Amino acid sequence: MEFQDEAFVLSARSHGDTGAVVELLTEQHGRRAAYVAGGASRRMKPFLQPGAKVLADFRSRTSDQLGSARLEPMGEGPAALFDDPLALTGLSAAAAVAGGALPEREPFPGAFYAFEALMNAFAVPEIWPAIFVRFEAGLLESLGFGLDLSRCAATGDTDELIWVSPRTGRAVSRKAGEPYADKLLRLPPFLLGAQAGLDDGDVRDGLALTGHFLEAHIFHALNKPLPAARFWMIDKLQEAQRL
């Protein structure tokens, strides 16, 4: 099979003396691994960093075989973030979460567009942590485990939705949830609408929310933990007082 598609690099590892196996999140063909000849060279390495956008010409004998790819860089990519170590930790975490959560060879264009939006947001330090939470919520939705934040699971009310059930992923109102507050997950207002501002603790609560469902529904089923890069990002956000 052969195709050409835009893609983001998720990871790359050396293979042989000069090549590399590169994991890509493509726009129309999902997560794909491919051998890139010359990928270990000094010239190619800058284009194989997580978050680099490329145009990939992919070839393989069969659909389930490791193929090969020729990559052409598109735009500045992660080089634009080299002066922002915190954004780079977020980028590494996003690539690790996407690479660990998305199955191979299944198209998830929504995940590609969410990753692209997050890449653009990394240029704005004040907002990207919240966009990261939205990115993870979008991954959950793409994989069939989307949160239902439209109305209270118990009463059907749409007002004062401040919690989420850790079992069902559905919103819970203040009135209905008060007796069970210690068992529920906090719902940060920014997940309910773009108009809501960010208060202290909102990003922390958002990451706890999406992390719970990523772990419960996806990573646990794959018998692996949440990526270490995600915990590293949270630690760095905590140190920078951005949670």
Side-chain angles (χ1 to χ4, degrees), residues 7-95:
F8 286 101
V9 174
L10 298 179
S11 66
R13 67 180 189 276
S14 297
H15 185 82
D17 294 333
T18 61
V21 174
V22 181
E23 189 173 50
L24 302 167
L25 175 57
T26 69
E27 181 177 7
Q28 299 297 331
H29 299 82
R31 183 169 66 89
R32 297 272 177 165
Y35 173 78
V36 176
S41 69
R42 184 176 301 177
R43 183 184 68 84
M44 285 290 296
K45 277 188 175 180
F47 309 136
L48 300 184
Q49 301 301 312
K53 191 175 184 180
V54 296
L55 183 64
D57 283 307
F58 183 92
R59 295 182 179 184
S60 67
R61 290 185 178 179
T62 62
S63 60
D64 58 351
Q65 182 186 45
L66 176 67
S68 62
R70 184 173 60 84
L71 307 180
E72 295 181 17
M74 299 178 66
E76 191 175 6
L81 304 177
F82 282 171
D83 292 331
D84 189 346
L86 190 57
L88 286 173
T89 65
L91 172 54
S92 296

Side-chain angles (χ1 to χ4, degrees), residues 4-226:
Q4 184 182 78
D5 204 352
E6 293 185 9
F8 286 101
V9 174
L10 298 179
S11 66
R13 67 180 189 276
S14 297
H15 185 82
D17 294 333
T18 61
V21 174
V22 181
E23 189 173 50
L24 302 167
L25 175 57
T26 69
E27 181 177 7
Q28 299 297 331
H29 299 82
R31 183 169 66 89
R32 297 272 177 165
Y35 173 78
V36 176
S41 69
R42 184 176 301 177
R43 183 184 68 84
M44 285 290 296
K45 277 188 175 180
F47 309 136
L48 300 184
Q49 301 301 312
K53 191 175 184 180
V54 296
L55 183 64
D57 283 307
F58 183 92
R59 295 182 179 184
S60 67
R61 290 185 178 179
T62 62
S63 60
D64 58 351
Q65 182 186 45
L66 176 67
S68 62
R70 184 173 60 84
L71 307 180
E72 295 181 17
M74 299 178 66
E76 191 175 6
L81 304 177
F82 282 171
D83 292 331
D84 189 346
L86 190 57
L88 286 173
T89 65
L91 172 54
S92 296
V97 170
L102 293 170
E104 280 194 282
R105 304 182 183 93
E106 293 186 29
F108 287 99
F112 175 90
Y113 301 136
F115 194 95
E116 186 170 48
L118 180 58
M119 280 296 302
N120 293 331
F122 281 128
V124 189
E126 296 79 13
I127 68 167
W128 75 253
I131 302 300
F132 190 100
V133 176
R134 289 184 175 275
F135 162 73
E136 291 193 326
L139 277 183
L140 285 165
E141 184 170 3
S142 293
L143 292 166
F145 301 105
L147 305 176
D148 182 357
L149 308 180
S150 59
R151 60 187 67 252
C152 176
T155 65
D157 292 342
T158 58
D159 296 328
E160 290 197 296
L161 302 177
I162 64 169
W163 287 298
V164 174
S165 165
R167 185 177 63 85
T168 66
R170 299 180 66 188
V172 179
S173 68
R174 183 187 302 276
K175 181 177 180 181
E178 278 181 346
Y180 316 100
D182 60 335
K183 296 181 174 64
L184 300 172
L185 297 166
R186 278 209 65 231
L187 171 58
F190 74 85
L191 284 179
L192 293 173
Q195 301 89 347
L198 276 177
D199 291 328
D200 289 344
D202 281 354
V203 170
R204 180 191 63 238
D205 293 336
L207 289 169
L209 179 64
T210 54
H212 170 81
F213 290 104
L214 283 169
E215 184 174 40
H217 293 311
I218 299 172
F219 285 88
H220 179 74
L222 297 171
N223 197 29
K224 56 186 180 182
L226 287 170

